[in-house]
Amino acid sequence: MKTGGNGNKPEPPYNPQQPPENSSWKLIDTNTSNWISNNEFPSNKNKWYIMFAILENESLLDLRLIKFKNDDINKPQSLDDKSNFIFLNNKKYWFSWLYRWDGTNEPETPTVDKDTSKITNWKE
């Protein structure tokens, strides 16, 4: 993850990357709490997801891309339009961007540049 001006504060990615055109990866709009009430996970059974997330009580420097299947989710929650978290395998993850795989079979995990936190290869 890129650091801020003084070299020790992380600079989080503020704008989600759009997947390539005609990609099987779909960006889920989590900027409103509607994504939960719209039943994103229950209505998309057996789907794979990736998210930029950190475990509860970790620093932004520990931000990582995590791939999971919606069956692994204990409970998604949103405190407000900008504070989303998921209990995944009984661990609480705060996340910023969420993508759903609409392709067939398990996808490869995209490649992320560790310095910029940008996806460099979506691995379609």
Side-chain angles (χ1 to χ4, degrees):
M1 168 166 274
K2 192 161 83 173
T3 58
N6 63 6
N8 61 3
K9 289 185 181 177
E11 195 175 291
Y14 292 102
N15 296 312
Q17 274 183 271
Q18 291 295 328
E21 192 173 327
N22 300 318
S23 173
S24 292
W25 287 110
K26 304 298 177 209
L27 177 65
I28 306 303
D29 181 9
T30 58
N31 289 326
T32 68
S33 55
N34 290 341
W35 70 278
I36 294 176
S37 60
N38 288 341
N39 293 314
E40 171 60 37
F41 296 115
S43 62
N44 289 297
K45 288 289 183 192
N46 297 314
K47 292 286 187 175
W48 287 94
Y49 290 83
I50 56 173
M51 64 180 174
F52 282 98
I54 58 172
L55 272 169
E56 184 177 34
N57 300 321
E58 286 187 340
S59 86
L60 281 175
L61 292 172
D62 296 316
L63 183 74
R64 60 187 162 271
L65 187 67
I66 298 169
K67 180 176 77 173
F68 63 96
K69 204 164 187 180
N70 64 343
D71 300 339
D72 296 330
I73 295 172
N74 303 104
K75 186 173 184 185
Q77 295 183 0
S78 179
L79 297 179
D80 56 40
D81 290 350
K82 302 281 185 214
S83 300
N84 296 307
F85 59 92
I86 289 177
F87 284 93
L88 182 61
N89 296 320
N90 297 313
K91 294 180 183 175
K92 185 177 182 179
Y93 288 91
W94 293 94
F95 70 94
S96 49
W97 315 124
L98 180 69
Y99 299 88
R100 181 183 66 237
W101 175 253
D102 284 341
T104 57
N105 300 321
E106 179 179 350
E108 288 186 57
T109 303
T111 303
V112 176
D113 182 303
K114 66 179 176 150
D115 295 324
T116 64
S117 299
K118 294 200 180 243
I119 296 173
T120 57
N121 183 349
W122 288 86
K123 298 188 178 180
E124 290 287 327

